[in-house]
Amino acid sequence: MGIASTIGTFAARPAVQAGALLGGAAAVASFSPTLMPRPTLDQALVTGGSMLGGFAVGAAAYRAASAATTGAARLGAGPAIARVAGPLALAAVGGVAMLAARREDGESVGRSAIRSAGMVTMLGAGAAAAVGAGAAAHTMIAARVPAGRVIGPALIGAAVLGVGAGALTRNLDRSARAHGGDDSPGSALRPIGIGLGVAGAVGGMIALGRAGGGVIGGGLASRLPGPASAWRIAGHAAVLGIVGGLGALAVGKAAGAFERSNHKLEPAYDTPPTMPNVSGGPGSLVGFDVLGRQGRRFVSEAVPAATITEVTGAPAVDPIRVYVGTPAGATIDERVQLAMGELERTGAFERSMLVFASPSGTGFVNPIPIAASEYMSRGDVATVAMQYGSRPSVLSADRVSPGARQNAALLDAIESRLREIPEARRPRLVMYGESLGAHTTQDVFLHEGTDALQRAGVDRALWSGSPFRSEWRQQVLGTPRDDVDPTLVGEFDSIEELQARPDSVNDRMRVVLLTHDNDPVAKFGVDMLVQEPAWLRGNRPETVPDEMSWTPGVTFLQSALDAKNAATVVPGEFASNGHDYRADLAPFVREAYRFDHVDDAELERITSRLVADDLERSRQVTG
């Protein structure tokens, strides 16, 4: 049998047609707008994934409806009625699930999952009904119209394409209104083409895996005792194990490559600093070579006193920066001892403020808020950070717990040391973390609310871009708890939102969460697969597109790619959007750490210098 005949036979199967119908609908839905615009390749990945998911649901729904159709036929129903009865029975099952799990305020993910399953079942039933109706119409046309065997499918195909094209055009128009860009139907051709290729490739691998599992299972069944069905299951399990193992190996190799790159010297940061009050400098207990790439950048960019004076017009001292990379010590205790030794060596406990900063997954500490605090304090500040990983955040889920344990150990050591200093001379202890850095510091206080920060002697905290999965953030902002004082915490999208509150309210606040309303990192979670997020219902924030809606599965894929793209930045062009907080950080540092002596004119000069430094940093790193 030729390839064309094989494809034709496959496409003629009603279950395949139902899958293709729902897969096409899911592909069209994938072009709807979300929090971030998507490049062509990302859109293609979302489209391909949506096609596969829709195809699987549609094909499964048709098979389930077919069982009901067969039952109706056996009860004496005619072919036309039986074709309708099957999908209607399936739709009824989905409707009952949706009614049983009607939306409630604060509902569990499980309840949402039941309702979403009901919704997906009804969509699948709709696809099955459409295929059944199309088959009936084709039979009718073929029997009564010359050349009906050709005209019927052509009319049905034209109707499906027309509806799909109209929906696609509407989604493209909505995306253009939300994010700009091309709203012509032609702009979707490339993502759809690539998406078809992605879906076909993944579908082919799944089919190959199933065939391989069948071959393995058949071979085992022919040689070993026991039911053949059990060996078939074992064969498929073996294939899944092989695929999972290969996937884990690939992730491991990628993580290893990132970790090795962390040790490479960059031409722009290959010389140890000359300032004695930074790690890696003269007299340091931590060698420049074991700071890692991000650590070397961090200590090399401490703002000299002369530059602080130049920008602020005030006398200044050189700030202190302490950084301990993971290669510097084999255990958490060893690294904490090094950090404490560096703080003592540099005189950090004699400064007016001590910033406890937690890096992101690669060890990166955003230089903008640290430099801003150095300008605003006139250099009378020490910052300490300890690396807990060398991978991008997306590969660092397993580093959150070790990072939190390390931060807790360092915080305990600092707290003990601060208690030895008379209160009048004790530096203010403040915290900063961004993205995974925010998560790993917040987890230090998990299940202890705001009480734990006060017990630890933390005067202020500024956390930007806290990930959705940060449970501490959800605890302090969610249902009232005995260990949470809500007046101590505030979450803001912009500095204007913070400044709009009365001074008396802000004076009491100790924890500032800077979280953009359109930051996918702060909103994307696994529950989005089956649960419509609260921020898409009711009065949504201004930066969440009015055109955005939620579709089970599809919105999850879209938001996963949004989270990847949210931190894409242009050097030297500070923005306040998505996961880019550069434009917010200097004013939030002033407000969160209460640098009340910094007026708007000075803040503008500091910001201008931070922008220039950001551009210069990019030039140095990229060569």
Side-chain angles (χ1 to χ4, degrees):
M1 184 181 291
I3 295 177
S5 298
T6 301
I7 293 174
T9 302
F10 180 74
R13 296 175 184 174
V16 171
Q17 293 171 357
L21 193 61
L22 197 56
V28 169
S30 74
F31 284 89
S32 60
T34 50
L35 296 175
M36 295 281 112
R38 287 182 293 279
T40 298
L41 182 58
D42 288 350
Q43 180 60 58
L45 292 173
V46 174
T47 300
S50 299
M51 285 179 185
L52 279 172
F55 182 90
V57 170
Y62 187 87
R63 293 189 181 98
S66 295
T69 300
T70 302
R74 287 175 179 171
L75 292 173
I81 295 176
R83 283 196 186 102
V84 175
L88 282 179
L90 185 63
V93 172
V96 169
M98 292 185 69
L99 287 173
R102 287 186 294 270
R103 179 179 285 118
E104 296 179 350
D105 292 338
E107 67 183 11
S108 67
V109 175
R111 185 181 183 86
S112 298
I114 293 172
R115 187 172 60 254
S116 296
M119 182 189 304
V120 169
T121 299
M122 293 189 72
L123 290 171
V131 169
H138 171 54
T139 301
M140 184 183 302
I141 294 172
R144 300 181 180 180
V145 179
R149 291 183 179 276
V150 176
I151 295 174
L155 290 175
I156 295 169
V160 170
L161 289 175
V163 172
L168 178 61
T169 300
R170 184 175 65 255
N171 280 342
L172 290 171
D173 179 64
R174 292 165 60 205
S175 292
R177 289 199 305 271
H179 302 300
D182 190 354
D183 62 351
S184 65
S187 64
L189 292 178
R190 191 174 177 213
I192 289 175
I194 299 173
L196 280 169
V198 170
V202 175
M205 286 189 288
I206 292 173
L208 186 62
R210 290 183 62 185
V215 170
I216 294 173
L220 292 172
S222 66
R223 291 172 173 79
L224 298 172
S229 58
W231 289 118
R232 282 196 295 271
I233 294 173
H236 291 303
V239 170
L240 287 175
I242 292 170
V243 172
L246 291 174
L249 181 63
V251 170
K253 284 188 172 296
F258 281 114
E259 290 172 347
R260 287 190 296 275
S261 69
N262 178 63
H263 303 298
K264 294 180 179 178
L265 283 174
E266 299 173 289
Y269 298 93
D270 61 355
T271 304
T274 57
M275 295 172 61
N277 51 340
V278 300
S279 295
S284 175
L285 304 176
V286 182
F288 188 67
D289 58 326
V290 294
L291 287 174
R293 175 195 294 175
Q294 299 297 344
R296 287 188 286 270
R297 292 181 184 180
F298 177 75
V299 299
S300 298
E301 294 177 349
V303 184
T307 303
I308 296 174
T309 299
E310 175 190 339
V311 172
T312 66
V317 295
D318 288 334
I320 294 169
R321 291 196 184 188
V322 170
Y323 190 98
V324 178
T326 51
T331 66
I332 288 177
D333 287 342
E334 289 179 11
R335 293 192 290 273
V336 169
Q337 289 176 11
L338 280 172
M340 293 301 295
E342 279 287 272
L343 289 172
E344 295 287 0
R345 180 188 69 84
T346 56
F349 295 108
E350 299 170 12
R351 297 299 172 100
S352 65
M353 190 169 81
L354 175 58
V355 180
F356 185 117
S358 183
S360 65
T362 61
F364 169 75
V365 178
N366 192 329
I368 294 169
I370 306 306
S373 68
E374 291 172 344
Y375 282 113
M376 295 178 191
S377 67
R378 315 310 189 216
D380 189 19
V381 61
T383 303
V384 59
M386 291 178 61
Q387 185 182 24
Y388 54 86
S390 306
R391 315 170 193 166
S393 295
V394 70
L395 296 176
S396 297
D398 64 331
R399 304 308 302 161
V400 173
S401 181
R405 289 198 303 272
Q406 179 170 274
N407 283 335
L410 179 59
L411 183 61
D412 285 345
I414 290 175
E415 178 192 1
S416 297
R417 180 66 179 89
L418 290 176
R419 282 200 300 264
E420 298 173 358
I421 303 173
E423 189 171 351
R425 294 192 292 108
R426 188 181 300 165
R428 288 196 302 143
L429 176 61
V430 303
M431 305 191 85
Y432 179 76
E434 182 170 324
S435 195
L436 209 64
H439 193 177
T440 52
T441 38
Q442 290 167 9
D443 267 16
V444 172
F445 312 109
L446 192 59
H447 307 307
E448 298 183 79
T450 56
D451 289 354
L453 277 87
Q454 293 181 294
R455 287 196 300 270
V458 177
D459 182 61
R460 302 270 171 171
L462 170 59
W463 285 310
S464 60
S466 302
F468 176 81
R469 63 181 181 273
S470 172
E471 193 176 350
W472 183 88
R473 171 174 168 254
Q474 296 177 20
Q475 289 173 352
V476 299
L477 297 178
T479 305
R481 296 166 52 103
D482 292 339
D483 55 12
V484 173
D485 182 347
T487 67
L488 300 181
V489 184
E491 184 170 47
F492 308 95
D493 170 73
S494 65
I495 193 65
E496 291 79 15
E497 189 177 332
L498 184 153
Q499 293 173 337
R501 305 197 321 170
D503 289 342
S504 58
V505 175
N506 286 339
D507 286 345
R508 178 163 175 75
M509 182 173 55
R510 292 293 180 269
V511 178
V512 176
L513 297 168
L514 169 57
T515 312
H516 289 156
D517 291 331
N518 70 336
D519 182 358
V521 174
K523 298 187 179 301
F524 173 70
V526 176
D527 56 352
M528 194 180 286
L529 185 65
V530 296
Q531 186 177 57
E532 181 180 15
W535 48 271
L536 278 178
R537 303 193 300 269
N539 296 322
R540 63 181 63 191
E542 289 185 7
T543 51
V544 175
D546 292 335
E547 297 84 359
M548 183 176 176
S549 57
W550 178 79
T551 303
V554 175
T555 308
F556 173 83
L557 292 175
Q558 292 173 317
S559 298
L561 271 296
D562 283 354
K564 177 184 76 71
N565 295 324
T568 302
V569 301
V570 178
E573 295 182 16
F574 279 19
S576 178
N577 181 55
H579 204 54
D580 183 0
Y581 290 91
R582 292 174 300 165
D584 307 275
L585 288 172
F588 265 93
V589 164
R590 180 177 70 168
E591 298 295 335
Y593 297 158
R594 302 312 305 260
F595 288 118
D596 297 331
H597 60 276
V598 177
D599 59 24
D600 290 343
E602 182 178 330
L603 178 63
E604 185 175 348
R605 293 196 303 273
I606 291 172
T607 301
S608 296
R609 186 56 180 258
L610 293 173
V611 170
D613 288 345
D614 186 63
L615 186 59
E616 179 59 27
R617 183 181 305 110
S618 174
R619 287 173 178 163
Q620 289 182 336
V621 171
T622 59

